[in-house]
């Protein structure tokens, strides 16, 4: 039984015992934290063999998160684009509206099993903070979220959500008052009390064991998707596409297909206002090897090795680093990394909303936009599976204000026809 149950966690591509994927990963930390990470690693390796833990995880996935999430064939979109069939793995339908709840549930169950009283984390736009605060409320753990004071003001609804859920939001006033300083503050707080607290990282980044652990907790996405798509089309898809910020939703779906070499895999980075401007966060496309937040990976950095300020319309994608396994998969060319601009993402955001009645998160819109481009190079009997990492409710006001709808349907007399024209417009790019 334990064997059957552990199949829901992908452990077959573990990094080596020091947490390296090739030359990437590891743990670059002060000695105190180094010991703490080793303890988390030991606790994690033990717990994934424990049937009671797996059972609790599976129960919450099913009855709380709402898994399995369905796969949906976006027929109208595919037809309008004219090429391969686009299918969507609907992580937007999870409780809290994105994939992040998958690893937050795993992290809080681990925290509980380790006897921790409090979970702590940093958050940028607040999505990770909300997912963790949700999981903490569910398990009765205290929750401290560190957030730059600029972000606190910018992301008021998520701050309210966290407070309602019982989390303490700690404003970080120093430095740039945004994500990077929030990470530093959270690490410092963690060092002060690593016994009662545990740091829950929000993606497949940070020191070992987090890139491995977060990937394993997300791997349910790929495991489900493989079974579902086989049932729907009788084979595997020709291509998988996911957006890459830190890279957790992408690793979640990719991990099930890495050994299926007939499946092409694409990770999509944010090209922001263009790769030739400083305003992007395309870490793999434009970065170089460095160390940030305790791990070695590709990094957008200056000559001194300081992380550069990064930008994307999708705040969940603007991180100057990327999960070490992605750097590795790039180096061995198993995954192809491409990028999509803000404007292309917005076109996909409107396009999917109009063609299918699904409003995607701006992060996920990057994956949809790339799938739209890719589909045109493929015949209609081919299949592209997109990981739709989250829903776009959080983005609607911002998009309408900064990218007025009228600009995207200039000649539309009838809106739906207008959007066919608009898709044709994407097509010629
Ligand atoms: C946070 C977020 C992302 C980016 O995080 P990854 O770790 O790269 O998956 C993508 N999509 C949504 C909806 C998010 O909230």
């Amino acid at each position: 039984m334990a064997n059957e149950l552990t199949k829901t966690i992908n452990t077959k591509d573990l990094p080596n015992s020091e947490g390296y994927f090739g030359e990437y990963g590891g743990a670059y930390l002060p000695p105190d934290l180094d010991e703490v990470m080793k303890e988390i690693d030991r606790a994690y390796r033990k717990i994934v063999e424990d049937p009671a833990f797996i059972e609790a995880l599976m129960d919450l996935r099913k009855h709380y998160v709402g898994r399995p999430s369905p796969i949906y064939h976006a027929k109208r979109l595919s037809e309008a684009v004219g090429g391969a069939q686009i299918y969507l793995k609907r992580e937007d339908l999870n409780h809290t509206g994105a994939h992040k709840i998958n690893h937050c549930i795993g992290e809080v169950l681990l925290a509980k099993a380790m006897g921790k009283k409090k979970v702590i984390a940093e958050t940028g736009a607040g999505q990770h903070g909300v997912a963790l605060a949700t999981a903490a409320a569910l398990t009765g753990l205290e929750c401290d979220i560190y957030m730059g004071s600029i972000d606190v003001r910018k992301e008021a609804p998520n701050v309210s959500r966290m407070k309602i859920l019982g989390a303490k939001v700690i404003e970080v006033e120093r430095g740039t008052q945004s994500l990077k300083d929030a990470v530093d503050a959270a690490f410092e707080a963690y060092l002060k009390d690593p016994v009662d607290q545990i740091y829950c990282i929000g993606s497949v980044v940070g020191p070992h064991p987090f890139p491995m652990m977060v990937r394993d907790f997300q791997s349910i996405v790929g495991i489900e998707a493989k079974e579902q798509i086989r049932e729907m089309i009788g084979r595997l898809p020709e291509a998988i596409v996911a957006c890459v910020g830190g890279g957790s939703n992408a690793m979640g779906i990719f991990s099930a297909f890495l050994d299926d070499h007939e499946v092409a895999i694409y990770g999509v980075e944010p090209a922001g206002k263009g790769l030739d401007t400083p305003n992007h966060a395309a870490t793999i496309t434009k970065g170089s090897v460095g160390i940030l937040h305790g791990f070695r990976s590709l990094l957008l950095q200056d000559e001194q090795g300081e992380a550069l300020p990064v930008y994307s319309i999708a705040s969940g994608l603007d991180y100057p680093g990327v999960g070490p396994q992605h750097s590795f998969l790039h180096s061995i060319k198993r995954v192809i990394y491409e990028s999509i601009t803000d404007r292309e993402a917005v076109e996909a955001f409107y396009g999917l909303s109009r063609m299918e009645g699904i409003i995607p998160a701006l992060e996920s819109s990057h994956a949809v936009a790339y799938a739209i481009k890719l589909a045109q190079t493929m015949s209609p009997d081919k299949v592209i599976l997109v990981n739709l990492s989250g829903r776009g409710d959080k983005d609607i006001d911002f998009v309408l204000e900064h990218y007025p709808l009228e600009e995207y349907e200039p000649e539309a007399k009838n809106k739906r026809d207008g959007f066919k024209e608009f898709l044709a417009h994407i097509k010629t790019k």
Side-chain angles (χ1 to χ4, degrees):
M1 190 64 176
N3 249 355
E4 198 52 37
L5 289 169
T6 46
K7 272 190 195 154
T8 69
I9 286 189
N10 180 359
T11 49
K12 78 179 194 304
D13 299 306
L14 284 175
N16 75 11
S17 58
E18 265 87 57
Y20 281 92
F21 305 85
E23 62 171 301
Y24 305 105
Y28 297 80
L29 295 165
D32 293 6
L33 267 185
D34 210 36
E35 199 33 58
V36 170
M37 289 300 155
K38 290 203 171 98
E39 189 197 331
I40 296 174
D41 186 31
R42 283 192 295 272
Y44 173 69
R45 286 176 198 267
K46 203 168 129 205
I47 211 175
V48 289
E49 300 296 330
D50 178 0
F53 169 79
I54 303 295
E55 206 166 321
L57 184 61
M58 286 175 68
D59 184 68
L60 288 174
R61 279 173 178 168
K62 181 168 175 190
H63 300 289
Y64 186 75
V65 178
R67 304 206 70 87
S69 65
I71 283 183
Y72 168 72
H73 181 189
K75 286 202 191 88
R76 294 190 73 231
L77 178 72
S78 307
E79 197 180 311
V81 170
Q85 302 304 309
I86 297 172
Y87 285 68
L88 308 171
K89 176 65 170 162
R90 301 286 312 274
E91 290 300 294
D92 60 314
L93 294 178
N94 294 338
H95 177 46
T96 69
H99 70 289
K100 286 192 177 78
I101 192 75
N102 296 329
H103 62 249
C104 287
I105 296 262
E107 287 174 328
V108 296
L109 289 180
L110 177 69
K112 272 274 186 193
M114 291 179 76
K116 305 291 181 189
K117 292 195 182 71
K118 187 190 275 184
V119 289
I120 66 173
E122 81 294 341
T123 196
Q127 296 301 110
H128 177 54
V130 169
L132 190 63
T134 301
L138 168 73
T139 46
L141 286 163
E142 293 174 47
C143 179
D144 284 358
I145 301 294
Y146 292 81
M147 193 170 183
S149 42
I150 290 180
D151 291 333
V152 169
R153 283 195 295 281
K154 240 166 64 183
E155 309 290 346
N158 275 342
V159 173
S160 303
R161 280 186 192 103
M162 287 185 266
K163 287 183 179 164
I164 289 168
L165 290 162
K168 197 160 107 196
V169 179
I170 298 154
E171 267 192 58
V172 180
E173 312 264 4
R174 67 171 99 161
T176 57
Q177 305 183 352
S178 59
L179 181 63
K180 196 184 159 291
D181 305 287
V183 176
D184 295 340
F187 263 111
E188 277 166 30
Y190 189 29
L191 260 178
K192 283 194 192 127
D193 181 9
V195 177
D196 285 334
Q197 310 185 101
I198 184 167
Y199 195 148
C200 294
I201 293 176
S203 187
V204 287
V205 298
H208 179 65
F210 281 94
M212 165 185 81
M213 226 164 62
V214 171
R215 176 205 63 196
D216 291 352
F217 289 139
Q218 286 294 346
S219 67
I220 185 64
V221 177
I223 291 168
E224 284 174 8
K226 197 168 183 175
E227 202 177 303
Q228 290 167 315
I229 197 79
R230 271 203 179 116
E231 203 162 288
M232 291 174 89
I233 66 172
R235 60 182 164 83
L236 296 182
E238 276 68 30
I240 308 265
V241 179
C243 65
V244 178
S248 64
N249 87 88
M251 277 321 308
I253 195 160
F254 293 175
S255 55
F257 297 91
L258 291 174
D259 295 332
D260 301 305
H261 288 273
E262 71 274 28
V263 180
I265 305 181
Y266 299 90
V268 184
E269 298 195 301
K273 294 180 175 150
L275 292 179
D276 49 354
T277 75
N279 298 314
H280 66 77
T283 310
I284 293 182
T285 312
K286 300 286 265 189
S288 55
V289 178
I291 292 166
L292 176 72
H293 297 146
F295 69 108
R296 186 168 199 266
S297 193
L298 291 168
L299 181 64
L300 291 166
Q301 57 189 334
D302 64 19
E303 267 110 61
Q304 282 75 45
E306 276 291 307
L308 288 168
V310 287
Y311 161 84
S312 164
I313 188 178
S315 44
L317 301 181
D318 62 358
Y319 183 63
V322 67
Q325 194 168 4
H326 285 290
S327 294
F328 175 67
L329 291 168
H330 169 68
S331 72
I332 64 168
K333 299 192 165 66
R334 175 62 189 104
V335 176
I336 300 157
Y337 292 85
E338 300 277 359
S339 63
I340 282 291
T341 64
D342 285 359
R343 196 157 274 280
E344 290 168 326
V346 170
E347 287 171 3
F349 174 93
Y350 280 137
L352 188 65
S353 300
R354 286 301 171 92
M355 298 310 296
E356 301 289 353
I358 297 172
I359 304 176
L362 280 173
E363 291 82 3
S364 323
S365 300
H366 286 70
V368 175
Y370 186 71
I372 288 172
K373 280 187 176 176
L374 182 65
Q376 294 156 43
T377 68
M378 296 163 68
S379 58
D381 58 330
K382 304 288 193 244
V383 167
I384 300 172
L385 175 61
V386 177
N387 196 17
L388 199 72
S389 54
R391 65 176 179 228
D393 303 43
K394 65 184 178 58
D395 300 314
I396 51 181
D397 294 336
F398 177 88
V399 171
L400 281 181
E401 187 183 334
H402 296 274
Y403 297 84
L405 194 45
E406 302 75 51
E407 287 177 22
Y408 286 82
E409 45 179 357
E411 279 102 36
K413 291 181 203 80
N414 160 325
K415 280 189 177 152
R416 291 192 186 279
D417 284 352
F419 268 80
K420 272 192 190 150
E421 277 171 35
F422 143 72
L423 284 166
H425 164 70
I426 294 186
K427 204 170 159 172
T428 54
K429 277 202 179 155

